[in-house]
Amino acid sequence: EAQVTQNPRYLITVTGKKLTVTCSQNMNHEYMSWYRQDPGLGLRQIYYSMNVEVTDKGDVPEGYKVSRKEKRNFPLILESPSPNQTSLYFCASRLGTGVGELFFGEGSRLTVL
Amino acid sequence: AQSVTQLDSQVPVFEEAPVELRCNYSSSVSVYLFWYVQYPNQGLQLLLKYLSGSTLVESINGFEAEFNKSQTSFHLRKPSVHISDTAEYFCAVSGSGNTGKLIFGQGTTLQVKP
């Protein structure tokens, strides 16, 4: 089944404790992206990747890092989480790098205390 | 810069009533427009899209949206809603340049009541 898989789905952590949210897609998509969803703000892009070893900042990259060492994986790293990073995070992928349907994971709800 | 505005944060309707979810965008270049749906505790799924051609686009579950360039709108409509349509709906516009970024609106929660 074609899908985007995120882990963990739910996480409660404390300020400053490094964490990684993994994202994997099995559709051989070139483009991958991370979004955060906050009430009243919709989805805002954190980082995106056009292909392996090619990443760039989105609209809200502060406090996050990403890497794209393999085509299927695109982890989101929070080196020192803070309470303002409490949010619902979505990974998404797309075939090619132009306009087309984004396929979303089921989301990772992160709470930073 | 491109932006999307969804004019209603919540839309309550009774089952079998018609509904319209409003979306306006701003852009100085040609746009591609999308509606995504998010059911409770799930990720977003593409509902329908406008890339080119006919300005009226339809989904397989009875929704339709019309691209109106003069009014910079892409409103979503359904003539008769079901309880199962209860979800959050996001309008999105493709970003400028070749990054293919989608810019999302704030979302509209459709609440269908029996």
Side-chain angles (χ1 to χ4, degrees), chain A residues 18 38 56 72 76 79 85 89 93 96 100-101:
Chain A
K18 180 180 178 180
D38 301 290
D56 209 345
R72 64 184 294 123
L76 179 70
E79 294 272 4
Q85 292 179 297
Y89 292 87
S93 72
E101 179 180 356

PDB file of all heavy atoms in Angstrom, chain A residues 18 38 56 72 76 79 85 89 93 96 100-101:
ATOM      1  N   LYS A  18      16.411  16.508  23.081  1.00  0.00           N
ATOM      2  CA  LYS A  18      16.428  16.295  21.630  1.00  0.00           C
ATOM      3  C   LYS A  18      15.501  15.158  21.214  1.00  0.00           C
ATOM      4  O   LYS A  18      15.432  14.121  21.870  1.00  0.00           O
ATOM      5  CB  LYS A  18      17.848  15.982  21.174  1.00  0.00           C
ATOM      6  CG  LYS A  18      17.990  15.751  19.667  1.00  0.00           C
ATOM      7  CD  LYS A  18      19.424  15.450  19.286  1.00  0.00           C
ATOM      8  CE  LYS A  18      19.568  15.175  17.803  1.00  0.00           C
ATOM      9  NZ  LYS A  18      20.982  14.881  17.413  1.00  0.00           N
ATOM     10  N   ASP A  38      -1.333  24.318  13.336  1.00  0.00           N
ATOM     11  CA  ASP A  38      -1.737  24.961  14.582  1.00  0.00           C
ATOM     12  C   ASP A  38      -3.118  25.583  14.403  1.00  0.00           C
ATOM     13  O   ASP A  38      -3.423  26.107  13.323  1.00  0.00           O
ATOM     14  CB  ASP A  38      -0.717  26.035  14.988  1.00  0.00           C
ATOM     15  CG  ASP A  38       0.673  25.459  15.169  1.00  0.00           C
ATOM     16  OD1 ASP A  38       0.858  24.713  16.161  1.00  0.00           O
ATOM     17  OD2 ASP A  38       1.558  25.719  14.331  1.00  0.00           O
ATOM     18  N   ASP A  56      15.790  22.528   1.896  1.00  0.00           N
ATOM     19  CA  ASP A  56      15.717  23.985   1.986  1.00  0.00           C
ATOM     20  C   ASP A  56      14.668  24.384   3.009  1.00  0.00           C
ATOM     21  O   ASP A  56      13.763  23.599   3.334  1.00  0.00           O
ATOM     22  CB  ASP A  56      15.390  24.601   0.631  1.00  0.00           C
ATOM     23  CG  ASP A  56      15.964  26.010   0.488  1.00  0.00           C
ATOM     24  OD1 ASP A  56      16.367  26.614   1.511  1.00  0.00           O
ATOM     25  OD2 ASP A  56      16.018  26.515  -0.641  1.00  0.00           O
ATOM     26  N   ARG A  72      13.740   7.701   0.497  1.00  0.00           N
ATOM     27  CA  ARG A  72      12.493   7.369   1.168  1.00  0.00           C
ATOM     28  C   ARG A  72      12.335   8.043   2.525  1.00  0.00           C
ATOM     29  O   ARG A  72      11.235   8.140   3.036  1.00  0.00           O
ATOM     30  CB  ARG A  72      12.376   5.865   1.323  1.00  0.00           C
ATOM     31  CG  ARG A  72      13.437   5.231   2.203  1.00  0.00           C
ATOM     32  CD  ARG A  72      13.309   3.709   2.235  1.00  0.00           C
ATOM     33  NE  ARG A  72      12.059   3.315   2.884  1.00  0.00           N
ATOM     34  CZ  ARG A  72      11.140   2.545   2.294  1.00  0.00           C
ATOM     35  NH1 ARG A  72      11.321   2.098   1.081  1.00  0.00           N
ATOM     36  NH2 ARG A  72      10.044   2.218   2.936  1.00  0.00           N
ATOM     37  N   LEU A  76      12.656  14.707  10.829  1.00  0.00           N
ATOM     38  CA  LEU A  76      12.598  16.068  11.394  1.00  0.00           C
ATOM     39  C   LEU A  76      13.225  16.022  12.780  1.00  0.00           C
ATOM     40  O   LEU A  76      12.815  15.223  13.621  1.00  0.00           O
ATOM     41  CB  LEU A  76      11.141  16.533  11.493  1.00  0.00           C
ATOM     42  CG  LEU A  76      10.920  17.929  12.077  1.00  0.00           C
ATOM     43  CD1 LEU A  76      11.419  18.991  11.102  1.00  0.00           C
ATOM     44  CD2 LEU A  76       9.435  18.140  12.390  1.00  0.00           C
ATOM     45  N   GLU A  79      16.448  19.817  17.979  1.00  0.00           N
ATOM     46  CA  GLU A  79      17.659  19.698  18.790  1.00  0.00           C
ATOM     47  C   GLU A  79      17.396  20.064  20.254  1.00  0.00           C
ATOM     48  O   GLU A  79      17.889  19.415  21.166  1.00  0.00           O
ATOM     49  CB  GLU A  79      18.763  20.601  18.233  1.00  0.00           C
ATOM     50  CG  GLU A  79      19.279  20.189  16.860  1.00  0.00           C
ATOM     51  CD  GLU A  79      20.424  19.182  16.939  1.00  0.00           C
ATOM     52  OE1 GLU A  79      20.759  18.748  18.062  1.00  0.00           O
ATOM     53  OE2 GLU A  79      20.988  18.833  15.890  1.00  0.00           O
ATOM     54  N   GLN A  85       6.971  24.770  20.240  1.00  0.00           N
ATOM     55  CA  GLN A  85       6.998  23.748  19.198  1.00  0.00           C
ATOM     56  C   GLN A  85       5.956  22.656  19.442  1.00  0.00           C
ATOM     57  O   GLN A  85       5.885  21.682  18.688  1.00  0.00           O
ATOM     58  CB  GLN A  85       8.391  23.136  19.085  1.00  0.00           C
ATOM     59  CG  GLN A  85       9.409  24.145  18.550  1.00  0.00           C
ATOM     60  CD  GLN A  85      10.807  23.573  18.458  1.00  0.00           C
ATOM     61  OE1 GLN A  85      11.406  23.196  19.475  1.00  0.00           O
ATOM     62  NE2 GLN A  85      11.332  23.507  17.245  1.00  0.00           N
ATOM     63  N   TYR A  89       2.381  17.716  13.623  1.00  0.00           N
ATOM     64  CA  TYR A  89       3.323  17.745  12.511  1.00  0.00           C
ATOM     65  C   TYR A  89       2.925  16.734  11.442  1.00  0.00           C
ATOM     66  O   TYR A  89       2.556  15.600  11.744  1.00  0.00           O
ATOM     67  CB  TYR A  89       4.740  17.412  13.018  1.00  0.00           C
ATOM     68  CG  TYR A  89       5.310  18.487  13.903  1.00  0.00           C
ATOM     69  CD1 TYR A  89       5.060  18.504  15.273  1.00  0.00           C
ATOM     70  CD2 TYR A  89       6.085  19.514  13.358  1.00  0.00           C
ATOM     71  CE1 TYR A  89       5.572  19.505  16.071  1.00  0.00           C
ATOM     72  CE2 TYR A  89       6.594  20.518  14.164  1.00  0.00           C
ATOM     73  CZ  TYR A  89       6.327  20.507  15.517  1.00  0.00           C
ATOM     74  OH  TYR A  89       6.830  21.511  16.316  1.00  0.00           O
ATOM     75  N   SER A  93       4.723  13.894   0.818  1.00  0.00           N
ATOM     76  CA  SER A  93       5.605  13.623  -0.312  1.00  0.00           C
ATOM     77  C   SER A  93       4.839  13.772  -1.608  1.00  0.00           C
ATOM     78  O   SER A  93       3.599  13.740  -1.637  1.00  0.00           O
ATOM     79  CB  SER A  93       6.216  12.222  -0.207  1.00  0.00           C
ATOM     80  OG  SER A  93       5.240  11.219  -0.460  1.00  0.00           O
ATOM     81  N   GLY A  96       7.891  13.852  -8.313  1.00  0.00           N
ATOM     82  CA  GLY A  96       8.447  14.971  -9.048  1.00  0.00           C
ATOM     83  C   GLY A  96       8.558  16.205  -8.173  1.00  0.00           C
ATOM     84  O   GLY A  96       8.254  16.180  -6.980  1.00  0.00           O
ATOM     85  N   GLY A 100       1.533  19.027  -8.066  1.00  0.00           N
ATOM     86  CA  GLY A 100       0.837  17.750  -8.066  1.00  0.00           C
ATOM     87  C   GLY A 100       0.324  17.437  -6.689  1.00  0.00           C
ATOM     88  O   GLY A 100       0.485  18.232  -5.761  1.00  0.00           O
ATOM     89  N   GLU A 101      -0.291  16.294  -6.543  1.00  0.00           N
ATOM     90  CA  GLU A 101      -0.902  15.912  -5.272  1.00  0.00           C
ATOM     91  C   GLU A 101       0.162  15.607  -4.232  1.00  0.00           C
ATOM     92  O   GLU A 101       1.105  14.859  -4.475  1.00  0.00           O
ATOM     93  CB  GLU A 101      -1.785  14.688  -5.462  1.00  0.00           C
ATOM     94  CG  GLU A 101      -2.438  14.205  -4.182  1.00  0.00           C
ATOM     95  CD  GLU A 101      -3.304  12.989  -4.386  1.00  0.00           C
ATOM     96  OE1 GLU A 101      -3.460  12.550  -5.540  1.00  0.00           O
ATOM     97  OE2 GLU A 101      -3.821  12.468  -3.386  1.00  0.00           O
TER      98      GLU A 101
END
